[in-house]
Amino acid sequence: MPSTSTPTESPVTETAPVPPTTRADLRDWVSEIARVTKPERIQWVDGSLGERQELIAEMIASKTLIPLDGELRPNSFLARSNPDDVARVEGRTYICSRSERDAGPTNNWVDPDEMRSTLSGLFAESMRGRTLYVIPFLMGPVGSPVTRVGVEITDSPYVVVSMGMMTRMGRVALDVIEDGAPWVKAVHTVGAPLAQGEKDVPWPCNETKYISHFPEDREIWSFGSAYGGNALLGKKSFALRIASAMARDEGWLAEHMMLVRITSPEGQVAHIAAAFPSACGKTNFAMMQPTLPGWQVETLGDDIVWMWIDENGLLRALNPEAGFFGVAPGTSDATNPVAIQTLWGNTIFTNVALTDDGDVWWEGLTKEKPAHLTDWTGQGWTPESKTPAAHPNSRFTVAIDQCPTAASEWADPRGVVVDAIVFGGRRSDTMPLVTEARSWTHGVYLGATMASERTAAAEGTLGELRRDPFAMAPFTGYNVGDHWAHWLSIGERLRVSGRFPRIFHVNWFRRDDEGRFMWPGFGDNIRVVKWMMDRMRGEIGGVDSPVGTLPKLGDLDLRDLDMDVSAASEILSVDANEIERDARDVQTLLTLVGDTVPPALWTENSATIDLCR
Ligand code: OXD
Ligand code: MN
């Protein structure tokens, strides 16, 4: 980072604590960032309970956190963000690779030197009056071949406490650094320096926002936002954008997926990794309560999966995170009782509504709306109010070990062997309830071309169909076509053992002519998983279609479901005209991606169209 200040100025040395590391590269980097950003003090985060309690006490005093009722929601807090800082800002998210080609057409690219010069202006003195926290953190458990280390510098105590739930933070990570591990640099500021004596606001941030990634240097610089996806840099920025670039170079995969273990009544076990675009029910799938008797779903992760090929040629996976940062609205005892149980306490809620007795509420939590609430902006709210009580992208942050269905292996450094990969999107039409890919290459095509109707997790027009390759459109830290080629190369390597995970595509969101959802979803999705597992056991055939193998009507377990045969056969079938139209629409994406599209995917596109004829 080029510096704008003179080297003789050194405002923090008297108050800076002795760094708890012998690593000169880490000490020098922290000093350099402090020299540029000029914080009032520096704090090395150790991850202890005492430290967390102190930070929480400070945030209660500054009104960043509102304590919830101790009986109703023990040790839990509500944060209300600045109303302009409620979601990821894809338009302000940059991949600053040396060549524009490496960022590809789906990322915003800025030349790294130019970005560094912009950032050096923005970061100069940006932490005045604040504490600079140094957060060492691990993505993944200690001892795994894919675990990676990061250090985030931030001036936000909300970020520190949240990172404490979302990652393995503090001493445990510093020990790995002490042992010589390389670490990723991540710098974050809310971009709201305080003048001498100036009173802070509960949610400092800046209108200007930059979420910048330097994949070759393995570096992240985030300016102006404290919203989780922009500021908890272990998550989207590191575990997806930077890690995907590392994974390409090193031969593994960093993907936007959830991970579960399914056990059938007969004891058959399968591990499934599934990619869905933001807010398409990934968390609900990860915490599913199956409606079929005797089935069990255990949770390993809800958002990010890292996968690698082990010494036996098997694809293994683990969740590098340690917490959930989930969307609150729509979560209820009916839709996701496991999440509701997970949130009993020790949770930070952001932008949900506050009940008069000091608990939280959001749209969908209860059938009946409370008679009076304080909405996410702090205003009084009644069911007659025209605006939602909770922001549609309001969130909960909670540690995974609070989840009653967490599999004990969620933190196993060896990960689990992946039996199936599932892609999905929110589509009112075109895509059937479930289909199995014809081959690994066809599966990669299904992942590359998946699409979803837009939701509130990111900016954009609600409902608009957006191609979201591998649900990674905003998260691949390099050229999207190279990402597809990388998936194909993983397939080549799996050929050695011949142990390919099966690949499926699902669509829980098909609607009928009246616009009603045709599939009940949630716990009934186990019926689709059961079909997948029957297929994996090689017990059942299927119906060939242009999008892969569809279930025969009798093979999908529809017992006790209020669904007539014509509706069932409709969601299990495809209309060749719709699929052909969709395949032609895919060509727009392939053409946009251009010369990095692996030829095999064009071949799959032509084959899809041919099969529609
Ligand atoms: C998320 C997202 O926050 O995908 O997980 O937007
Ligand atoms: Mn996500």
Side-chain angles (χ1 to χ4, degrees):
M1 177 90 193
S3 154
T4 48
S5 52
T6 54
T8 47
E9 271 185 278
S10 145
V12 288
T13 40
E14 300 91 83
T15 48
V18 179
T21 175
T22 59
R23 285 275 296 258
D25 55 346
L26 178 53
R27 297 163 71 127
D28 291 351
W29 176 68
V30 171
S31 308
E32 172 59 15
I33 301 297
R35 196 176 62 74
V36 173
T37 59
K38 305 218 177 335
E40 194 174 291
R41 51 188 287 275
I42 295 176
Q43 180 172 335
W44 287 74
V45 170
D46 63 17
S48 65
L49 189 59
E51 172 187 81
R52 176 186 160 86
Q53 283 165 344
E54 262 173 45
L55 289 168
I56 286 175
E58 278 169 34
M59 284 192 278
I60 293 171
S62 65
K63 301 203 163 42
T64 302
L65 293 184
I66 300 167
L68 297 172
D69 182 84
E71 303 251 305
L72 297 172
R73 205 62 68 171
N75 192 29
S76 298
F77 305 91
L78 167 64
R80 291 193 188 120
S81 82
N82 178 302
D84 294 326
D85 194 23
V86 293
R88 290 184 292 100
V89 281
E90 290 179 16
R92 308 295 304 168
T93 300
Y94 300 92
I95 300 298
C96 307
S97 41
R98 262 165 236 135
S99 100
E100 183 168 5
R101 182 222 165 271
D102 283 342
T106 54
N107 281 312
N108 301 312
W109 177 81
V110 171
D111 173 81
D113 292 337
E114 186 188 326
M115 182 59 87
R116 284 187 188 275
S117 132
T118 304
L119 292 172
S120 68
L122 289 167
F123 275 79
E125 309 201 9
S126 61
M127 297 191 187
R128 276 247 190 248
R130 301 193 181 278
T131 300
L132 178 159
Y133 301 95
V134 185
I135 312 175
F137 63 95
L138 297 182
M139 299 315 294
V142 176
S144 167
V146 287
T147 292
R148 296 289 182 272
V149 194
V151 182
E152 175 164 353
I153 285 179
T154 180
D155 53 5
S156 162
Y158 170 88
V159 167
V160 179
V161 171
S162 303
M163 285 287 284
M165 290 189 271
M166 296 303 298
T167 72
R168 284 104 170 150
M169 177 181 86
R171 193 68 250 172
V172 61
L174 210 49
D175 287 347
V176 177
I177 295 177
E178 280 297 294
D179 285 345
W183 48 279
V184 166
K185 296 172 177 167
V187 194
H188 169 251
T189 177
V190 294
L194 291 166
Q196 192 98 48
E198 185 182 336
K199 196 172 167 313
D200 204 0
V201 292
W203 187 277
C205 61
N206 195 306
E207 263 171 49
T208 301
K209 295 179 178 35
Y210 280 89
I211 321 297
S212 307
H213 305 77
F214 299 85
E216 287 106 350
D217 299 325
R218 316 287 198 227
E219 240 178 275
I220 306 156
W221 288 79
S222 169
F223 182 90
S225 170
Y227 169 75
N230 302 325
L232 312 181
L233 298 183
K235 194 176 181 59
K236 303 299 188 182
S237 285
F238 181 171
L240 290 176
R241 298 192 189 101
I242 295 293
S244 62
M246 290 174 148
R248 171 203 47 191
D249 296 348
E250 299 166 6
W252 50 285
L253 290 164
E255 298 294 322
H256 189 204
M257 288 178 158
M258 63 102 221
L259 186 64
V260 284
R261 183 220 311 281
I262 313 278
T263 310
S264 76
E266 297 76 37
Q268 185 194 355
V269 172
H271 293 106
I272 300 183
F276 296 87
S278 305
C280 273
K282 227 167 56 218
T283 305
N284 293 341
F285 193 163
M287 299 178 185
M288 191 202 298
Q289 287 290 280
T291 54
L292 291 179
W295 286 79
Q296 196 190 3
V297 176
E298 290 168 273
T299 313
L300 290 140
D302 79 324
D303 195 40
I304 298 177
V305 171
W306 286 358
M307 295 187 277
W308 70 101
I309 298 176
D310 73 7
E311 59 289 359
N312 299 316
L314 297 173
L315 190 66
R316 304 192 81 93
L318 62 71
N319 165 20
E321 300 191 277
F324 303 128
F325 177 63
V327 179
T331 308
S332 72
D333 262 329
T335 61
N336 191 338
V338 175
I340 296 294
Q341 287 161 41
T342 305
L343 304 177
W344 64 268
N346 303 322
T347 303
I348 295 187
F349 296 92
T350 304
N351 289 338
V352 301
L354 181 67
T355 65
D356 293 349
D357 52 4
D359 201 359
V360 285
W361 192 84
W362 48 78
E363 276 65 23
L365 177 63
T366 52
K367 271 220 182 88
E368 205 162 315
K369 297 175 177 175
H372 183 264
L373 294 165
T374 307
D375 77 6
W376 70 278
T377 68
Q379 305 301 309
W381 185 96
T382 66
E384 284 71 50
S385 298
K386 295 274 176 294
T387 48
H391 187 276
N393 192 36
S394 53
R395 297 280 176 152
F396 52 79
T397 312
V398 67
I400 294 184
D401 48 23
Q402 292 217 169
C403 176
T405 57
S408 52
E409 289 76 10
W410 81 264
D412 186 338
R414 290 165 306 179
V416 295
V417 174
V418 181
D419 300 293
I421 290 171
V422 175
F423 299 120
R426 181 183 284 269
R427 304 279 309 256
S428 309
D429 48 38
T430 311
M431 288 306 274
L433 179 64
V434 58
T435 175
E436 180 172 0
R438 288 183 279 275
S439 62
W440 181 270
T441 307
H442 182 234
V444 171
Y445 175 78
L446 291 177
T449 60
M450 61 197 257
S452 196
E453 288 148 18
R454 223 182 256 271
T455 66
E459 335 152 281
T461 314
L462 287 181
E464 171 190 62
L465 188 75
R466 175 202 205 199
R467 292 276 159 210
D468 190 350
F470 290 86
M472 286 285 280
F475 304 124
T476 307
Y478 60 99
N479 186 301
V480 59
D482 291 343
H483 182 233
W484 303 343
H486 185 52
W487 267 85
L488 292 175
S489 77
I490 294 284
E492 285 306 313
R493 285 170 56 208
L494 289 171
R495 228 174 270 289
V496 177
S497 70
R499 297 276 300 273
F500 288 91
R502 313 284 284 255
I503 303 184
F504 299 90
H505 184 285
V506 299
N507 177 19
W508 316 134
F509 300 96
R510 197 119 147 203
R511 292 178 192 255
D512 65 15
D513 293 342
E514 264 87 61
R516 289 176 304 219
F517 287 116
M518 298 177 73
W519 178 249
F522 303 108
D524 285 313
N525 292 337
I526 195 68
R527 298 167 192 272
V528 173
V529 172
K530 179 174 186 243
W531 179 77
M532 293 173 180
M533 286 174 66
D534 288 343
R535 292 277 299 165
M536 288 183 223
R537 274 209 310 265
E539 277 180 5
I540 51 169
V543 182
D544 288 344
S545 90
V547 287
T549 308
L550 307 174
K552 286 193 273 182
L553 187 53
D555 284 344
L556 191 70
D557 189 337
L558 297 176
R559 83 185 110 132
D560 300 331
L561 205 60
D562 181 20
M563 183 172 237
D564 62 44
V565 176
S566 71
S569 56
E570 198 180 331
I571 47 167
L572 293 182
S573 60
V574 294
D575 173 336
N577 290 328
E578 279 183 0
I579 298 296
E580 180 168 349
R581 200 176 321 124
D582 197 61
R584 296 210 182 275
D585 183 61
V586 162
Q587 293 176 349
T588 311
L589 171 72
L590 300 184
T591 305
L592 171 82
V593 176
D595 61 6
T596 61
V597 176
L601 298 193
W602 273 110
T603 308
E604 289 296 338
N605 181 258
S606 310
T608 305
I609 292 172
D610 289 347
L611 288 165
C612 290
R613 297 286 163 78

